[in-house]
Amino acid sequence: MNLYGRVAVVTGGGRGIGRAVSLRLVALGVKVIVNYVNRPEPALETVALIEATGGVARALQFDVANSEAVHAAMQEVVTSEGRLDILVNNAGITRDGLLMKMKEDDWDAVLDTNLKGAFNCVKAVSRVMMKQRSGRIVNISSVIGYAGNAGQVNYASAKAGLIGLTKSVARELASRGITVNAVAPGYIETEMTSGLSPELTAKIMAEIPLARLGSPDDVAAAVAYLVSEEASYVTGQCLHVNGGMYM
Ligand code: NDP
């Protein structure tokens, strides 16, 4: 695989799965725009890690939930880079709680970031990708979007919604040579899952046939495949990366 000269935006690319995706794309020759919202340090650290490997990257702050900020950021990327080939919608948050206790704000925040954020980014890049008559979009969904989870009605709804978004946009953009796919990770060791109790981790492990939590690199490998030339006939699909916990 060689994607030399391509330009990618990875939302939430500064840490966790986003960092692994950014590093993986750079290893394939891609120039990566590492997006973050609140924490510049991990994003700048990711850029430094990339530069240490001889790759090219830069950090870019914007809130995926803010459509104006997203459009301005994507416009800036296209103006300064001259192209935009790959979008990975990875930014995501959780605000867990049982339905009966979930605050409207927690619902809104998760839907705004995890689902509307992807809509904003896809909309903002679609024009340039259509003009280029090529492009790759990968949305990071979740096993929770398929299986559901008590205490995550907001997150599960957003992640399930991303699958509908993926399939619909795949149909709309296919004639312009743009593929749109999703990756649904299982439990991956990042900051997002670091707060799980040992009891809950043991319970989750018992449900994973491959008997380990996933790593960010497991997810990055799936993204790398979906943005490759080899995946040019794959669109509207979701690749499950979950150790077999959901089949
Ligand atoms: P982390 O919590 O480690 O990182 C989340 C990233 O998203 C951060 O870079 C954060 O930026 C960014 N982000 C959050 N909100 C926004 C926003 N409004 N605009 C721009 N960026 C934002 O998460 P993970 O790496 O664990 O998860 C990455 C994705 O994978 C998420 O979509 C998550 O739902 C999904 N996923 C994760 C799983 C897991 O087990 N970890 C399992 C299944 C799916 P900043 O650093 O500035 O805060």
Side-chain angles (χ1 to χ4, degrees):
M1 268 195 252
N2 185 350
L3 300 175
Y4 187 77
R6 308 277 167 91
V7 174
V9 172
V10 180
T11 67
R15 54 193 172 96
I17 291 170
R19 172 179 287 184
V21 168
S22 297
L23 286 162
R24 183 78 182 219
L25 293 180
V26 163
L28 299 174
V30 177
K31 176 172 184 175
V32 177
I33 314 300
V34 178
N35 158 253
Y36 66 95
V37 63
N38 291 320
R39 290 171 52 181
E41 297 84 11
L44 293 172
E45 199 179 283
T46 300
V47 170
L49 284 169
I50 288 170
E51 287 173 347
T53 69
V56 185
R58 67 182 162 99
L60 187 60
Q61 194 280 341
F62 61 90
D63 179 352
V64 295
N66 179 333
S67 61
E68 281 178 17
V70 169
H71 282 266
M74 297 303 182
Q75 194 52 56
E76 187 274 316
V77 171
V78 173
T79 305
S80 52
E81 309 301 337
R83 56 189 302 134
L84 210 180
D85 306 283
I86 298 166
L87 167 67
V88 182
N89 282 312
N90 165 79
I93 58 168
T94 53
R95 294 277 188 282
D96 296 351
L98 293 171
L99 171 71
M100 297 296 284
K101 290 186 175 170
M102 185 172 286
K103 296 189 179 73
E104 195 177 335
D105 282 354
D106 294 332
W107 170 271
D108 288 344
V110 169
L111 270 289
D112 281 355
T113 299
N114 298 17
L115 184 56
K116 192 176 129 191
F119 163 75
N120 286 338
C121 293
V122 169
K123 194 169 173 199
V125 305
S126 58
R127 193 180 297 274
V128 65
M129 287 186 177
M130 284 166 81
K131 259 195 211 158
Q132 287 172 186
R133 302 195 80 82
S134 71
R136 292 279 192 272
I137 297 172
V138 180
N139 299 316
I140 307 298
S141 176
S142 169
V143 66
I144 303 301
Y146 283 83
N149 198 21
Q152 289 197 305
V153 64
N154 49 0
Y155 186 79
S157 302
K159 293 301 188 181
L162 271 181
I163 300 304
L165 181 147
T166 299
K167 292 180 180 179
S168 304
V169 182
R171 288 184 187 277
E172 288 191 21
L173 301 184
S175 65
R176 306 300 178 101
I178 301 163
T179 68
V180 188
N181 291 289
V183 174
Y187 282 82
I188 309 297
E189 285 186 293
T190 69
E191 220 171 287
M192 189 176 270
T193 49
S194 63
L196 297 180
S197 67
E199 296 75 35
L200 188 54
T201 304
K203 204 171 148 224
I204 291 165
M205 286 285 280
E207 291 172 15
I208 304 175
L210 286 175
R212 68 169 174 87
L213 298 186
S215 74
D217 286 337
D218 291 322
V219 182
V223 174
Y225 167 67
L226 290 171
V227 303
S228 71
E229 286 301 330
E230 287 83 349
S232 62
Y233 200 53
V234 178
T235 197
Q237 303 303 309
C238 180
L239 188 45
H240 294 263
V241 181
N242 59 29
M245 75 179 291
Y246 179 87
M247 296 184 186

